[in-house]
Amino acid sequence: MNSNNTVLRFSGHDTFHCKEQWILKGLQLVELQENRNIFREVETISRLGVGKNMVRSIQHWLRAFGLINDDLIPTDFANSLFLNEALDPYLEYEGSLWLLQYFICKSQYASIYRMIFSEYFSDKATNEFSESQIFRFINKRLKDNDQKPVTNKTLESDFKVFIRSYVSPTKNQKTVEDDFNVPLLSLNLISDTGRQNDKGQTVFRVNKTSQSIPLEILAYCLLTEFEGELAISFDNVRKSVGSYLCLSNDLLDELLSQLPQRFNEFVYKDDAGIRQIQIKVNNVEFKNDILRDYYELH
């Protein structure tokens, strides 16, 4: 198994990419229920106003975005953003989208997101990728992970849903309307290069140069990723939060150096070529205060 003993998953969405309104609807469904089979109940179809397959997909996306746990209980993140505090239940702020992007990579429930944004590019000089390249990488990881091979049909479906999460297809009235409902699309993290490889597959690019993350959101992600830690190397930040949020090394360095100017609890050191972010206070209360700061200021 891999170092995190995480089972790699490439299905569960029933070929549906996430729709923005599904998140709040799904969380409101599970908020007061005590039935772990709520997503299998016939009544849930009418309560959510979607088809049976979409009900399963909604459950998948709630797990993938780290909004519910195995017992269908909303997480602290879900309660802060959508339920108890309801800081941004309708995803009106860009910072909320960055949080969703962070958590979909962190949770690893939908494995392809973390694999593409972080792991696949860990030893690559290019930011471009195609379907066949990702499939080779996934199959190698499955083998290294002692997992059974996944069918090409499953991988093709998963890759298609992944791409649709970030790249709008050829425009028509239906896709234009749908674009407003795809939460991560506006982050512009992946582009269609307009080129094809020798297999006739579209070549895509991860956009790592123009992302600008609110400092409060970056701080919240750091405190979540490195809970309780007081000193984290730049390299560890780069491999995790930096990759999940699609930050170039230069921009990550710039943002980390700005953190102490915004929050006294952070210190960024670059001594003798060793870069490190130090955190004087790293607890849940401080983390949640920073998140509230973002929504109060914006």
Side-chain angles (χ1 to χ4, degrees), residues 32-53:
L32 300 176
Q33 61 82 32
E34 297 180 357
N35 178 8
R36 286 191 60 182
N37 296 314
I38 188 66
F39 285 100
R40 298 176 186 172
E41 300 289 343
V42 176
E43 294 79 7
T44 300
I45 296 174
S46 59
R47 290 175 68 180
L48 291 177
V50 299
K52 181 179 179 181
N53 290 356

PDB file of all heavy atoms in Angstrom, residues 32-53:
ATOM      1  N   LEU A  32     -29.657  16.537   9.871  1.00  0.00           N
ATOM      2  CA  LEU A  32     -30.517  16.133  10.988  1.00  0.00           C
ATOM      3  C   LEU A  32     -30.871  14.647  10.992  1.00  0.00           C
ATOM      4  O   LEU A  32     -31.595  14.186  11.870  1.00  0.00           O
ATOM      5  CB  LEU A  32     -31.812  16.962  10.960  1.00  0.00           C
ATOM      6  CG  LEU A  32     -31.624  18.474  11.075  1.00  0.00           C
ATOM      7  CD1 LEU A  32     -32.963  19.185  10.940  1.00  0.00           C
ATOM      8  CD2 LEU A  32     -30.955  18.837  12.400  1.00  0.00           C
ATOM      9  N   GLN A  33     -30.366  13.899  10.019  1.00  0.00           N
ATOM     10  CA  GLN A  33     -30.753  12.497   9.942  1.00  0.00           C
ATOM     11  C   GLN A  33     -29.835  11.617  10.792  1.00  0.00           C
ATOM     12  O   GLN A  33     -28.685  11.984  11.044  1.00  0.00           O
ATOM     13  CB  GLN A  33     -30.744  12.028   8.481  1.00  0.00           C
ATOM     14  CG  GLN A  33     -29.385  12.118   7.777  1.00  0.00           C
ATOM     15  CD  GLN A  33     -28.477  10.952   8.068  1.00  0.00           C
ATOM     16  OE1 GLN A  33     -28.952   9.846   8.267  1.00  0.00           O
ATOM     17  NE2 GLN A  33     -27.186  11.189   8.100  1.00  0.00           N
ATOM     18  N   GLU A  34     -30.336  10.480  11.199  1.00  0.00           N
ATOM     19  CA  GLU A  34     -29.530   9.507  11.948  1.00  0.00           C
ATOM     20  C   GLU A  34     -29.500   8.169  11.215  1.00  0.00           C
ATOM     21  O   GLU A  34     -29.235   7.130  11.801  1.00  0.00           O
ATOM     22  CB  GLU A  34     -30.111   9.321  13.353  1.00  0.00           C
ATOM     23  CG  GLU A  34     -30.080  10.594  14.191  1.00  0.00           C
ATOM     24  CD  GLU A  34     -30.664  10.377  15.572  1.00  0.00           C
ATOM     25  OE1 GLU A  34     -31.142   9.256  15.836  1.00  0.00           O
ATOM     26  OE2 GLU A  34     -30.630  11.327  16.383  1.00  0.00           O
ATOM     27  N   ASN A  35     -29.782   8.217   9.921  1.00  0.00           N
ATOM     28  CA  ASN A  35     -29.853   7.007   9.109  1.00  0.00           C
ATOM     29  C   ASN A  35     -28.683   6.967   8.134  1.00  0.00           C
ATOM     30  O   ASN A  35     -28.607   7.782   7.207  1.00  0.00           O
ATOM     31  CB  ASN A  35     -31.192   6.993   8.347  1.00  0.00           C
ATOM     32  CG  ASN A  35     -31.327   5.776   7.440  1.00  0.00           C
ATOM     33  OD1 ASN A  35     -30.492   4.868   7.476  1.00  0.00           O
ATOM     34  ND2 ASN A  35     -32.371   5.752   6.637  1.00  0.00           N
ATOM     35  N   ARG A  36     -27.776   6.038   8.351  1.00  0.00           N
ATOM     36  CA  ARG A  36     -26.606   5.943   7.480  1.00  0.00           C
ATOM     37  C   ARG A  36     -26.968   5.522   6.061  1.00  0.00           C
ATOM     38  O   ARG A  36     -26.152   5.626   5.157  1.00  0.00           O
ATOM     39  CB  ARG A  36     -25.596   4.947   8.062  1.00  0.00           C
ATOM     40  CG  ARG A  36     -24.847   5.456   9.269  1.00  0.00           C
ATOM     41  CD  ARG A  36     -23.696   4.538   9.620  1.00  0.00           C
ATOM     42  NE  ARG A  36     -22.737   4.423   8.529  1.00  0.00           N
ATOM     43  CZ  ARG A  36     -21.663   3.634   8.581  1.00  0.00           C
ATOM     44  NH1 ARG A  36     -21.423   2.898   9.659  1.00  0.00           N
ATOM     45  NH2 ARG A  36     -20.832   3.568   7.553  1.00  0.00           N
ATOM     46  N   ASN A  37     -28.186   5.048   5.870  1.00  0.00           N
ATOM     47  CA  ASN A  37     -28.630   4.622   4.534  1.00  0.00           C
ATOM     48  C   ASN A  37     -29.495   5.670   3.847  1.00  0.00           C
ATOM     49  O   ASN A  37     -30.223   5.361   2.914  1.00  0.00           O
ATOM     50  CB  ASN A  37     -29.409   3.304   4.639  1.00  0.00           C
ATOM     51  CG  ASN A  37     -28.543   2.157   5.139  1.00  0.00           C
ATOM     52  OD1 ASN A  37     -27.423   1.964   4.677  1.00  0.00           O
ATOM     53  ND2 ASN A  37     -29.050   1.398   6.101  1.00  0.00           N
ATOM     54  N   ILE A  38     -29.423   6.911   4.325  1.00  0.00           N
ATOM     55  CA  ILE A  38     -30.314   7.950   3.809  1.00  0.00           C
ATOM     56  C   ILE A  38     -30.203   8.103   2.294  1.00  0.00           C
ATOM     57  O   ILE A  38     -31.196   8.361   1.608  1.00  0.00           O
ATOM     58  CB  ILE A  38     -30.023   9.303   4.507  1.00  0.00           C
ATOM     59  CG1 ILE A  38     -31.067  10.350   4.116  1.00  0.00           C
ATOM     60  CG2 ILE A  38     -28.623   9.793   4.215  1.00  0.00           C
ATOM     61  CD1 ILE A  38     -32.446  10.058   4.607  1.00  0.00           C
ATOM     62  N   PHE A  39     -29.001   7.927   1.738  1.00  0.00           N
ATOM     63  CA  PHE A  39     -28.829   8.095   0.291  1.00  0.00           C
ATOM     64  C   PHE A  39     -29.346   6.889  -0.495  1.00  0.00           C
ATOM     65  O   PHE A  39     -29.357   6.919  -1.717  1.00  0.00           O
ATOM     66  CB  PHE A  39     -27.357   8.361  -0.047  1.00  0.00           C
ATOM     67  CG  PHE A  39     -26.918   9.755   0.309  1.00  0.00           C
ATOM     68  CD1 PHE A  39     -26.211  10.001   1.482  1.00  0.00           C
ATOM     69  CD2 PHE A  39     -27.208  10.833  -0.517  1.00  0.00           C
ATOM     70  CE1 PHE A  39     -25.799  11.289   1.811  1.00  0.00           C
ATOM     71  CE2 PHE A  39     -26.814  12.121  -0.202  1.00  0.00           C
ATOM     72  CZ  PHE A  39     -26.110  12.341   0.981  1.00  0.00           C
ATOM     73  N   ARG A  40     -29.767   5.852   0.214  1.00  0.00           N
ATOM     74  CA  ARG A  40     -30.325   4.675  -0.458  1.00  0.00           C
ATOM     75  C   ARG A  40     -31.849   4.620  -0.338  1.00  0.00           C
ATOM     76  O   ARG A  40     -32.483   3.739  -0.918  1.00  0.00           O
ATOM     77  CB  ARG A  40     -29.719   3.401   0.140  1.00  0.00           C
ATOM     78  CG  ARG A  40     -28.205   3.315  -0.043  1.00  0.00           C
ATOM     79  CD  ARG A  40     -27.647   2.087   0.655  1.00  0.00           C
ATOM     80  NE  ARG A  40     -26.190   2.067   0.613  1.00  0.00           N
ATOM     81  CZ  ARG A  40     -25.434   1.199   1.274  1.00  0.00           C
ATOM     82  NH1 ARG A  40     -26.014   0.281   2.048  1.00  0.00           N
ATOM     83  NH2 ARG A  40     -24.120   1.237   1.185  1.00  0.00           N
ATOM     84  N   GLU A  41     -32.405   5.523   0.441  1.00  0.00           N
ATOM     85  CA  GLU A  41     -33.851   5.539   0.639  1.00  0.00           C
ATOM     86  C   GLU A  41     -34.561   6.102  -0.597  1.00  0.00           C
ATOM     87  O   GLU A  41     -34.101   7.078  -1.196  1.00  0.00           O
ATOM     88  CB  GLU A  41     -34.214   6.387   1.861  1.00  0.00           C
ATOM     89  CG  GLU A  41     -33.604   5.907   3.167  1.00  0.00           C
ATOM     90  CD  GLU A  41     -34.230   4.613   3.658  1.00  0.00           C
ATOM     91  OE1 GLU A  41     -35.331   4.271   3.186  1.00  0.00           O
ATOM     92  OE2 GLU A  41     -33.611   3.932   4.498  1.00  0.00           O
ATOM     93  N   VAL A  42     -35.682   5.487  -0.957  1.00  0.00           N
ATOM     94  CA  VAL A  42     -36.450   5.934  -2.117  1.00  0.00           C
ATOM     95  C   VAL A  42     -36.916   7.379  -1.933  1.00  0.00           C
ATOM     96  O   VAL A  42     -36.925   8.173  -2.882  1.00  0.00           O
ATOM     97  CB  VAL A  42     -37.663   5.008  -2.351  1.00  0.00           C
ATOM     98  CG1 VAL A  42     -38.520   5.538  -3.499  1.00  0.00           C
ATOM     99  CG2 VAL A  42     -37.197   3.581  -2.653  1.00  0.00           C
ATOM    100  N   GLU A  43     -37.289   7.743  -0.718  1.00  0.00           N
ATOM    101  CA  GLU A  43     -37.795   9.089  -0.453  1.00  0.00           C
ATOM    102  C   GLU A  43     -36.756  10.171  -0.738  1.00  0.00           C
ATOM    103  O   GLU A  43     -37.100  11.320  -1.030  1.00  0.00           O
ATOM    104  CB  GLU A  43     -38.254   9.204   1.004  1.00  0.00           C
ATOM    105  CG  GLU A  43     -39.450   8.350   1.377  1.00  0.00           C
ATOM    106  CD  GLU A  43     -39.071   6.885   1.627  1.00  0.00           C
ATOM    107  OE1 GLU A  43     -37.853   6.595   1.641  1.00  0.00           O
ATOM    108  OE2 GLU A  43     -39.977   6.058   1.803  1.00  0.00           O
ATOM    109  N   THR A  44     -35.482   9.794  -0.667  1.00  0.00           N
ATOM    110  CA  THR A  44     -34.419  10.776  -0.869  1.00  0.00           C
ATOM    111  C   THR A  44     -34.428  11.323  -2.289  1.00  0.00           C
ATOM    112  O   THR A  44     -34.052  12.473  -2.524  1.00  0.00           O
ATOM    113  CB  THR A  44     -33.051  10.146  -0.542  1.00  0.00           C
ATOM    114  OG1 THR A  44     -33.059   9.720   0.831  1.00  0.00           O
ATOM    115  CG2 THR A  44     -31.919  11.129  -0.749  1.00  0.00           C
ATOM    116  N   ILE A  45     -34.865  10.519  -3.246  1.00  0.00           N
ATOM    117  CA  ILE A  45     -34.920  10.961  -4.637  1.00  0.00           C
ATOM    118  C   ILE A  45     -35.812  12.190  -4.768  1.00  0.00           C
ATOM    119  O   ILE A  45     -35.435  13.198  -5.381  1.00  0.00           O
ATOM    120  CB  ILE A  45     -35.423   9.817  -5.552  1.00  0.00           C
ATOM    121  CG1 ILE A  45     -34.420   8.657  -5.540  1.00  0.00           C
ATOM    122  CG2 ILE A  45     -35.656  10.319  -6.975  1.00  0.00           C
ATOM    123  CD1 ILE A  45     -34.898   7.427  -6.287  1.00  0.00           C
ATOM    124  N   SER A  46     -36.989  12.133  -4.161  1.00  0.00           N
ATOM    125  CA  SER A  46     -37.913  13.274  -4.244  1.00  0.00           C
ATOM    126  C   SER A  46     -37.446  14.427  -3.352  1.00  0.00           C
ATOM    127  O   SER A  46     -37.642  15.596  -3.700  1.00  0.00           O
ATOM    128  CB  SER A  46     -39.326  12.834  -3.850  1.00  0.00           C
ATOM    129  OG  SER A  46     -39.340  12.305  -2.533  1.00  0.00           O
ATOM    130  N   ARG A  47     -36.823  14.107  -2.231  1.00  0.00           N
ATOM    131  CA  ARG A  47     -36.354  15.170  -1.334  1.00  0.00           C
ATOM    132  C   ARG A  47     -35.248  16.002  -1.978  1.00  0.00           C
ATOM    133  O   ARG A  47     -35.185  17.223  -1.776  1.00  0.00           O
ATOM    134  CB  ARG A  47     -35.855  14.561  -0.015  1.00  0.00           C
ATOM    135  CG  ARG A  47     -36.975  13.990   0.850  1.00  0.00           C
ATOM    136  CD  ARG A  47     -36.436  13.302   2.083  1.00  0.00           C
ATOM    137  NE  ARG A  47     -35.824  14.241   3.018  1.00  0.00           N
ATOM    138  CZ  ARG A  47     -35.287  13.875   4.176  1.00  0.00           C
ATOM    139  NH1 ARG A  47     -35.289  12.589   4.531  1.00  0.00           N
ATOM    140  NH2 ARG A  47     -34.756  14.768   4.985  1.00  0.00           N
ATOM    141  N   LEU A  48     -34.391  15.350  -2.745  1.00  0.00           N
ATOM    142  CA  LEU A  48     -33.308  16.078  -3.412  1.00  0.00           C
ATOM    143  C   LEU A  48     -33.719  16.587  -4.790  1.00  0.00           C
ATOM    144  O   LEU A  48     -33.053  17.452  -5.358  1.00  0.00           O
ATOM    145  CB  LEU A  48     -32.067  15.176  -3.533  1.00  0.00           C
ATOM    146  CG  LEU A  48     -31.343  14.839  -2.237  1.00  0.00           C
ATOM    147  CD1 LEU A  48     -30.195  13.880  -2.493  1.00  0.00           C
ATOM    148  CD2 LEU A  48     -30.830  16.104  -1.545  1.00  0.00           C
ATOM    149  N   GLY A  49     -34.793  16.011  -5.328  1.00  0.00           N
ATOM    150  CA  GLY A  49     -35.275  16.455  -6.630  1.00  0.00           C
ATOM    151  C   GLY A  49     -34.381  16.065  -7.783  1.00  0.00           C
ATOM    152  O   GLY A  49     -34.280  16.785  -8.782  1.00  0.00           O
ATOM    153  N   VAL A  50     -33.709  14.917  -7.648  1.00  0.00           N
ATOM    154  CA  VAL A  50     -32.830  14.424  -8.718  1.00  0.00           C
ATOM    155  C   VAL A  50     -33.076  12.932  -8.912  1.00  0.00           C
ATOM    156  O   VAL A  50     -33.798  12.299  -8.142  1.00  0.00           O
ATOM    157  CB  VAL A  50     -31.336  14.659  -8.377  1.00  0.00           C
ATOM    158  CG1 VAL A  50     -31.037  16.143  -8.222  1.00  0.00           C
ATOM    159  CG2 VAL A  50     -30.940  13.897  -7.109  1.00  0.00           C
ATOM    160  N   GLY A  51     -32.469  12.371  -9.943  1.00  0.00           N
ATOM    161  CA  GLY A  51     -32.619  10.950 -10.211  1.00  0.00           C
ATOM    162  C   GLY A  51     -31.814  10.089  -9.249  1.00  0.00           C
ATOM    163  O   GLY A  51     -30.964  10.574  -8.506  1.00  0.00           O
ATOM    164  N   LYS A  52     -32.085   8.795  -9.278  1.00  0.00           N
ATOM    165  CA  LYS A  52     -31.440   7.842  -8.364  1.00  0.00           C
ATOM    166  C   LYS A  52     -29.923   7.870  -8.495  1.00  0.00           C
ATOM    167  O   LYS A  52     -29.204   7.871  -7.481  1.00  0.00           O
ATOM    168  CB  LYS A  52     -31.972   6.433  -8.652  1.00  0.00           C
ATOM    169  CG  LYS A  52     -31.397   5.351  -7.749  1.00  0.00           C
ATOM    170  CD  LYS A  52     -31.995   3.998  -8.087  1.00  0.00           C
ATOM    171  CE  LYS A  52     -31.413   2.899  -7.209  1.00  0.00           C
ATOM    172  NZ  LYS A  52     -31.974   1.566  -7.556  1.00  0.00           N
ATOM    173  N   ASN A  53     -29.419   7.882  -9.726  1.00  0.00           N
ATOM    174  CA  ASN A  53     -27.975   7.898  -9.928  1.00  0.00           C
ATOM    175  C   ASN A  53     -27.348   9.186  -9.404  1.00  0.00           C
ATOM    176  O   ASN A  53     -26.227   9.190  -8.890  1.00  0.00           O
ATOM    177  CB  ASN A  53     -27.641   7.715 -11.406  1.00  0.00           C
ATOM    178  CG  ASN A  53     -27.944   6.313 -11.902  1.00  0.00           C
ATOM    179  OD1 ASN A  53     -28.332   5.447 -11.118  1.00  0.00           O
ATOM    180  ND2 ASN A  53     -27.782   6.084 -13.182  1.00  0.00           N
TER     181      ASN A  53
END
